[in-house]
Amino acid sequence: MLGVHLTPERDAVILVDVQNDFCPGGALPVPEGDRVVPALNALLERVRAVAVATRDWHPPNHSSFKPHGGPWPVHCVAGTAGAAFHPALAVDRVAHVVSKATRPEEEAYSGFQGTDLAAFLRQRGIRRVFVGGLATDYCVKATALDAVKHGFEATVLEDAIRGVEVQEGDCARAREEMKRAGVRLMRTEDLT
Ligand code: VGL
Ligand code: ZN
C-alpha cells in the first residue's frame, strides 16, 4: 500500500468544526455529518500527530445568521450545546482548540482566518496538515486552501469529511478546487 507515515514532529490533523449543530439534529445539519467522528477517532488512535480542533464560535447576533441578514440559520452560538464538539469526538487527543468567527461582523470559514492556527502549527514545527471534518464545501475547503496559502502541505481526508451541498455538485466542485490549488486527497486508511 502506498501509505503516508505521520509523525508529531512534522504532522498535524485538523478536525474542522465537528460540532453538534453541524450533525443530524443540529441547527445547520450536514447530511451524515456525524459519520466523520468514528473515522477521525480511529485515525487519532492509530497515528501519532498533533491534533487541532477548530470550532465555529459565533456571537448570538452573528452577521451570517438569517435574522441578521446572512445566509445561515442561527448555529454554533458560543457556549451553547449546539456549539459543543460532538460528544463522541476524541477531544482528549486535541492539543489546541481554535475558535473562529467570534465577532458579529466577521465570517471565517477557514480555521486560519483571524486565529492563531498558523502560528501554533509553525511553533510546533508542523509542515504537513491532514484535514477532516465539516463541511466539505465550506470550512473544510477554506481551511485546506488557506493551509496551502500559509505554506503547509495539505491533505484532505476524503472519508472523514461531509458536505452541506446547498447546490448539487458543491462538494464535487470543492474537491476540484482543492486539487487545483495543490491539496492532496487521501483516505484515512492510507495513513499510518
Ligand atoms: C460552516 C456554514 C456556516 C462550516 C460554518 O463549518 O462549514 N458552514 N458556518
Ligand atoms: Zn458559521
Side-chain angles (χ1 to χ4, degrees):
M1 185 185 60
L2 200 110
V4 167
H5 181 67
L6 273 57
T7 145
E9 281 73 44
R10 171 182 67 198
D11 299 314
V13 176
I14 304 179
L15 313 172
V16 175
D17 299 6
V18 186
Q19 294 168 271
N20 289 321
D21 271 343
F22 294 127
C23 292
L28 206 176
V30 176
E32 300 186 342
D34 54 333
R35 301 258 193 111
V36 306
V37 174
L40 291 169
N41 285 351
L43 176 69
L44 294 178
E45 186 139 306
R46 260 186 333 98
V47 305
R48 290 177 63 245
V50 175
V52 177
T54 70
R55 61 184 182 185
D56 223 22
W57 201 247
H58 298 316
N61 60 341
H62 194 254
S63 54
S64 79
F65 296 167
K66 277 176 185 156
H68 300 277
W72 303 113
V74 174
H75 64 280
C76 295
V77 173
T80 64
F85 291 120
H86 185 287
L89 188 69
V91 287
D92 53 315
R93 268 291 265 114
V94 170
H96 188 57
V97 172
V98 171
S99 302
K100 62 183 172 62
T102 59
R103 291 192 309 264
E105 303 309 325
E106 175 213 18
E107 179 57 303
Y109 291 136
S110 163
F112 288 93
Q113 197 181 328
T115 73
D116 68 347
L117 179 54
F120 173 83
L121 295 172
R122 283 205 191 98
Q123 186 195 356
R124 298 287 285 254
I126 300 299
R127 294 191 296 279
R128 304 192 301 189
V129 298
F130 296 80
V131 183
L134 306 169
T136 308
D137 33 1
Y138 289 92
C139 291
V140 168
K141 179 183 87 169
T143 300
L145 293 176
D146 260 2
V148 171
K149 284 182 192 146
H150 280 88
F152 299 99
E153 192 183 311
T155 300
V156 161
L157 306 168
E158 331 189 54
D159 56 315
I161 57 174
R162 291 294 188 280
V164 186
E165 196 89 349
V166 171
Q167 308 258 24
E168 198 187 320
D170 280 354
C171 288
R173 281 187 288 274
R175 294 160 64 99
E176 287 312 310
E177 190 179 340
M178 290 190 283
K179 280 199 256 179
R180 269 199 309 277
V183 174
R184 179 169 61 174
L185 294 172
M186 286 188 79
R187 302 189 59 82
T188 56
E189 66 224 37
D190 294 327
L191 307 181
T192 61

